Amino acid sequence: EVQLVESGGGLVQAGGSLRLSCAASGFTFDDYAIGWFRQDPGKEREREGVSCFSGIDGRTYYVDSVKGRFTISSDYAKNTVYLQMNSLKPEDTAIYYCAADIGCPDSGNYSYGLPDDDYWGQGTEVIVSS
């Protein structure tokens, strides 16, 4: 059974940091990419692709709004992908999800590449206060 479990969310002041974790199981880590998406609870069905790590070729991706502030990394031994978020802003407030995907984009916006949400975690909430 494919399972992804996020952790590490919380409440932080603007300028602070959080590290999100995505623990994956039930599939071969190096055959997929792991993407981080976020969704404002007040904007249903609008998910923004934030970052991505490809277990296939090690490629990484960041949406422009987080470049220089967020860093994605992986631990193959633990089948876990991390998202280190520094210099957090109130506009980073969202529910953050990780998902297994078929690859990472080269640039531009990141849209999920699989047809359904079977390979998504339940999300972890990040609240950044001003």
Side-chain angles (χ1 to χ4, degrees):
E1 179 186 4
V2 172
Q3 191 171 22
L4 296 103
V5 179
E6 303 95 337
S7 61
L11 173 64
V12 64
Q13 288 188 330
S17 299
L18 286 172
R19 189 178 80 156
L20 306 184
S21 298
C22 173
S25 62
F27 62 96
T28 305
F29 192 64
D30 53 6
D31 285 344
Y32 286 86
I34 299 294
W36 282 99
F37 298 82
R38 62 187 179 189
Q39 182 172 11
D40 184 333
K43 298 181 180 178
E44 191 172 349
R45 303 188 69 81
E46 285 189 28
R47 293 185 306 206
E48 178 186 33
V50 176
S51 185
C52 182
F53 172 82
S54 172
I56 302 168
D57 58 12
R59 180 188 304 177
T60 60
Y61 161 89
Y62 302 94
V63 69
D64 285 347
S65 61
V66 308
K67 283 180 180 177
R69 300 189 297 123
F70 290 11
T71 303
I72 195 168
S73 62
S74 67
D75 185 332
Y76 279 80
K78 296 181 178 179
N79 253 28
T80 299
V81 171
Y82 304 97
L83 187 66
Q84 178 67 43
M85 306 187 298
N86 299 329
S87 303
L88 282 162
K89 304 176 180 179
E91 51 264 43
D92 295 317
T93 294
I95 299 174
Y96 284 72
Y97 300 88
C98 67
D101 205 343
I102 55 175
C104 298
D106 292 324
S107 61
N109 294 327
Y110 175 20
S111 297
Y112 187 58
L114 293 172
D116 53 42
D117 291 351
D118 285 350
Y119 290 4
W120 285 69
Q122 294 302 304
T124 185
E125 188 170 22
V126 172
I127 300 173
V128 184
S129 63
S130 57

